[in-house]
Each structure stands twice: as structure tokens, then as C-alpha cells.
Amino acid sequence: MADGPAASTATADVSPHADFEQVGAVADAVLYEGYLLYPYRRSSAKNRVRWQFGVLFPRDWVEADGPVTPTVSGSADSWYQRTECLARIRRPDATLRVRLRYLQMQRKQVQETGPEGGNRDVPSLRTADGTVHLTFDEAVPREAEVTLRLDERAHHGTTVPVGAPGGTDVEPLPGDAGRVVRVREELRGSVTVTAERLAPDLVRLQVRTTHTGLAPAPRTARDEALSGAFIATHTLIGGDGVEFVSLIDPPVALRDQVRACRNEFTFPVLGGVSSLGGDPPTARVLLSAPIILPDHPQVAPESPGDLHDAAEIDEILTLRTMLLTDEEKREARATDPRAAAILDRVDTMPPEVFARLHGAVRSLTPARPAAPPGEHPAAPPGERPAWWQEGGDDGLAPATDTVLVDGVPLGGGSRVRLSPRGRGADAQDMFLAGRTAEVAAVFHDVDGSVHLAVTLDDDPASELHTWYGRFHYFRPDELEPLEPAREPAPSDTPAAEA
């Protein structure tokens, strides 16, 4: 632990910072991403491959087959996470708060009491009251917090040990039928926070989380090694007198400094709401997650609760959960308390809550005056009818339509360079910036917007993608024509016609 009052550690019982609470639901979704996978039963093949994001193992075990390649997300196993971001200092006495969150695996073993009083491991056990208990790997949420002043000490770096103790809990089962034994291995790691001052009111922060525990044998199976791993590791960064700059959509003046930030096995985004309506956006809290998210991520208000399934879609998973048989539901309830909570929520969901899961329209164009009875509402002169009106799609031909970009009509076969805009662009599209592509079609969306379907020039599977209609989609303002604007032909001019 670092000495002096500039750094301290705390465990999960510390009152959360108000700014951290703004991103609490999203951070919890990150924490339990992939914890349980539909259909939430131990016997499901999907639940034999869990813990897929933000998993930190000891370095020797991770690199037993060679060094790992750093990425901007934590879908690959690693032994560290590195977050770098820019922060504006708004007060001379500014302080920084870094909260590390993760899961610690807990082996849940059901044991049956034998005739002579001994206990033996069993995969499942039914007690006299009809309750089924299953052997299954659970997880315990953990937190650690570092608080420090952004002074010269922070510039040189502050390192704080983090981790969770090992332990064994024994729960007797009713009627002396047996017991449930839960075992946790000790976790050891460290968090190092460094602040490099770039200007009087600007610093580059680096938060590095490292697994420092002893490594298992090099050929230990991943399922076994997980007992000593930090799982779903992610970081919340906030503070007093500190404001964070978007790395997705930085101010023009800070783009070079943002490009110099290196993020490995994690992806930092602004959390909560924009500070003071900033443009470009800023925030008082940053979420560095092992999955790619947009700035200011939010859980849909229609979602009644977590489903713990990677890339979950509430309506589909809720419907599928409803279709489980009674026996499958009994197994799911016995698998894990969180699985039981999902079933309870689905079984008691009011119709009006379920109806909201079907989707929502976040933005609408102004409504036109209602048409007289028996008539279709007419579009204004020169404007296409709305997509739901009769004739709304008349004349649309994606393969031959064009849209004008920088004076060049782009359509099927046009050559373009991809230039996704920072603000509002899909995070995945940002990785394609600068690549060249060919336009396949022009699509008019139901909200009146236009998107161009493209295939990448350097994608060896582009021909296959074209064959079955798998494209990347970009707005017209995210494309740069590679062909110059066509000069009017002599036959196009009034003089030629004369």
C-alpha cells in the first residue's frame, strides 16, 4: 500500500461516489456479462464456457504458449489491463478516485452425508423438502478503491495492492442430508495510477491493473485456472475537480494527445451525463470496460432486470425462458440464485412490462395533420410519402439509386474511402477509418435517413459477403468519394441542346 494520505484503499462497503452511481446499472451489466447464459441451467452446453470478458490470469500461465497481443477489448485472456485517458483539472486541489470491480470465482460443491456420517462429493442432491442442490461455479462481486491527489506524487505513480482473501464456507442442508461447501482461492493484484501533466489544466491518466498472484502449472486447464483469476475486470474513474475528455469524439485541439493514449484489454468511455452540456462532450466519470461501448452508455429503461447473457436481447430471452419446461425451470433454480431470480421475474412479469420489451422509438419526426376519413394522408408537394403510407417505397431501387456526396453521385459500384464521424458513429466502424470500399446499394431507412451498404476492398471474404447480403453500412457524410465529380458533358449544356 502506498504511504501517506495521498492514497488509500477500501473494500465494497465504502459508500459509492455519486458520479459512480450514474453508471451503476451499466457497470453491473459489465460485471455480470456472461455470468450465466441462456437457458441458465448447469446442463446447458453454453454454461460450460463462461467468464469470457476481462479475465486476468497470472502472467506465466497466460504466456505459457507465447506473448498475448494487446487489443482494445478484454475478450482475450490477459494478465493486465491498461487504461489511458485525458482529464481536465478544474481545481488546484483536484482528487482522483479509481474503483476496480471484478468477480472472484467460488467453487460450489454439493456433498452427501453417507451412512457412517462422512461426506462425499455429488453432482446434485435433493433434500426431503424437494429442493434440488447442484454443484456449480458461482462468483462473488469484489471492489477496491484508490483515492489520490493529482499532485507531484501522482505524476510519479501510486501503486496499491488489491485482491480478495480465500476462504471456505460450509452450509448444512436440511435433515442432515448433506452440505454445500463453497471454496474461494486468494486473489492478488495491484493497481498503479499515474498522471502525466500535459498542460496546466490537462493530464494524461494511466490506470494499470495487474495480476500478481502465483501462477498454476502451465498446462492447467482454463476452467481450473479461473479459480485464481480476476473475472469481468473493469474500472470506474472519477473524482472532484476532474472532467474527462471523450476518446471517441475528442476536441480537435486534443486529437493528437488522444491518439497517444494506449488502451490494452479495455475500452474507456464517458459515463453518466455530459458535463454542462459540453460540446465536444465531457463527463465527471469514465467507465473502462472489457467490452466496446459508446460514450454515455445506458441500460434501456424498458429492461426490467439483468439476464446475464452476453449480447442479451430482453424480449427474445424472456420468451425463450417462458418456454422452459417445469423440469428445466427446477434445474435452473437449483443452478444459481441469480438464475432463480430471472425465472421469478419472468414468471411474474406484468403484461404491460412484457409489452415494453418489444421495442421503443427514441425519436420521431413531427406528425402531419390527420387525413379526412377514408383518405390516405398526403405528403407535401415534392416530398416522398412516409414509409408506412401507400406509395412510400415506390421508385426505390437500392441497386441503382444514388446519393450525392461532395458533388459525386454514389451508388452501386462507386469507390469510396470510409471516414466514420466520431460523434454518433458506431464504435466498431471507427476501426475501419481510412479503408477503401465499394458501394453495393443505397438504402432509405424508415426514419427518412439514408445508408450506403459497402464491402471492404481488402476483405478476402467480400465476394461471399456480397453473395448473401452481408455489408457494412455508413451514412453519406461518412464516405469520401474516390472518383472526382463528373463534369457536365457538352450534350448536357443548354448550348449543345440548341
Side-chain angles (χ1 to χ4, degrees):
M1 179 180 294
D3 57 351
S8 64
T9 60
T11 52
D13 58 353
V14 173
S15 298
H17 191 284
D19 288 335
F20 289 172
E21 288 300 306
Q22 294 180 359
V23 294
V26 176
D28 285 345
V30 171
L31 185 66
Y32 289 106
E33 183 81 3
Y35 174 82
L36 283 169
L37 300 173
Y38 174 84
Y40 313 123
R41 309 190 314 274
R42 184 189 65 176
S43 61
S44 171
K46 293 171 66 177
N47 280 317
R48 297 169 195 166
V49 183
R50 302 162 69 198
W51 328 114
Q52 301 133 336
F53 304 98
V55 182
L56 306 186
F57 292 98
R59 181 172 185 174
D60 289 348
W61 186 88
V62 173
E63 296 189 335
D65 295 321
V68 296
T69 301
T71 65
V72 293
S73 71
S75 57
D77 295 338
S78 62
W79 52 275
Y80 72 97
Q81 283 183 349
R82 171 179 173 148
T83 298
E84 286 194 351
C85 60
L86 299 183
R88 295 189 184 277
I89 307 302
R90 298 306 189 189
R91 296 203 314 260
D93 60 344
T95 60
L96 191 71
R97 300 181 65 145
V98 177
R99 178 173 294 175
L100 178 71
R101 307 176 83 235
Y102 58 93
L103 296 176
Q104 178 186 22
M105 179 181 279
Q106 179 172 261
R107 303 275 187 192
K108 172 191 170 187
Q109 179 63 57
V110 177
Q111 294 183 340
E112 183 180 33
T113 302
E116 299 179 359
N119 295 290
R120 64 183 185 91
D121 293 348
V122 292
S124 64
L125 180 64
R126 185 187 296 270
T127 53
D129 60 0
T131 302
V132 176
H133 302 269
L134 299 179
T135 294
F136 192 66
D137 288 337
E138 303 173 331
V140 181
R142 302 294 189 186
E143 291 185 354
E145 192 164 294
V146 182
T147 303
L148 56 100
R149 293 191 300 268
L150 288 174
D151 52 15
E152 190 63 24
R153 182 186 305 221
H155 173 80
H156 293 297
T158 299
T159 298
V160 174
V162 296
T168 301
D169 299 328
V170 178
E171 174 191 354
L173 295 178
D176 295 326
R179 62 183 188 175
V180 175
V181 180
R182 292 178 170 89
V183 179
R184 297 172 300 281
E185 291 189 15
E186 181 185 18
L187 298 184
R188 292 184 181 180
S190 66
V191 173
T192 299
V193 183
T194 304
E196 176 187 359
R197 196 167 292 273
L198 305 178
D201 65 341
L202 182 71
V203 296
R204 177 184 291 114
L205 297 175
Q206 181 188 115
V207 178
R208 184 182 178 94
T209 303
T210 306
H211 194 304
T212 61
L214 297 177
R219 298 301 174 187
T220 300
R222 185 178 187 271
D223 286 350
E224 294 298 319
L226 279 167
S227 60
F230 291 77
I231 299 170
T233 311
H234 61 285
T235 307
L236 292 171
I237 308 174
D240 297 318
V242 179
E243 195 171 82
F244 297 94
V245 175
S246 171
L247 274 69
I248 297 175
D249 183 22
V252 175
L254 297 180
R255 286 181 179 173
D256 288 342
Q257 291 90 329
V258 165
R259 290 192 188 99
C261 292
R262 292 177 53 200
N263 288 283
E264 298 174 344
F265 304 108
T266 188
F267 191 81
V269 297
L270 302 184
V273 296
S274 298
S275 297
L276 306 176
D279 187 15
T282 57
R284 292 182 300 183
V285 62
L286 183 137
L287 169 62
S288 189
I291 56 177
I292 295 176
L293 297 169
D295 279 337
H296 307 294
Q298 297 181 9
V299 173
E302 294 80 14
S303 179
D306 294 331
L307 292 169
H308 306 320
D309 200 303
E312 62 190 43
I313 302 174
D314 286 32
E315 183 181 32
I316 294 176
L317 292 181
T318 299
L319 286 169
R320 296 290 299 273
T321 302
M322 289 177 173
L323 293 176
L324 293 175
T325 66
D326 290 343
E327 181 58 35
E328 288 171 335
K329 288 183 177 182
R330 280 192 290 270
E331 183 188 351
R333 292 184 187 280
T335 293
D336 187 275
R338 292 184 176 87
I342 291 173
L343 290 178
D344 290 340
R345 187 169 65 245
V346 170
D347 287 346
T348 60
M349 185 179 295
E352 60 273 16
V353 174
F354 179 75
R356 290 202 304 266
L357 299 183
H358 189 62
V361 178
R362 301 294 183 203
S363 61
L364 293 170
T365 56
R368 297 192 181 114
E375 296 183 15
H376 292 289
E383 183 177 323
R384 179 181 299 280
W387 65 272
W388 64 85
Q389 297 172 356
E390 184 177 352
D393 58 356
D394 288 352
L396 296 182
T400 58
D401 283 349
T402 61
V403 60
L404 205 62
V405 177
D406 295 336
V408 178
L410 297 182
S414 297
R415 307 267 298 106
V416 296
R417 188 182 309 280
L418 307 181
S419 181
R421 307 303 184 209
R423 191 167 308 159
D426 186 282
Q428 298 283 0
D429 291 345
M430 301 296 289
F431 298 110
L432 304 179
R435 308 267 286 275
T436 58
E438 180 178 322
V439 176
V442 176
F443 291 97
H444 295 265
D445 298 336
V446 296
D447 61 359
S449 62
V450 177
H451 281 80
L452 288 85
V454 305
T455 56
L456 299 175
D457 289 343
D458 57 357
D459 184 352
S462 60
E463 184 177 352
L464 179 62
H465 292 333
T466 301
W467 180 75
Y468 59 75
R470 184 184 181 94
F471 303 110
H472 296 278
Y473 294 89
F474 291 88
R475 301 190 306 269
D477 63 347
E478 296 180 305
L479 301 176
E480 299 175 4
L482 293 180
E483 302 153 357
R486 184 175 66 87
E487 294 293 335
S491 60
D492 295 336
T493 64
E497 293 175 4

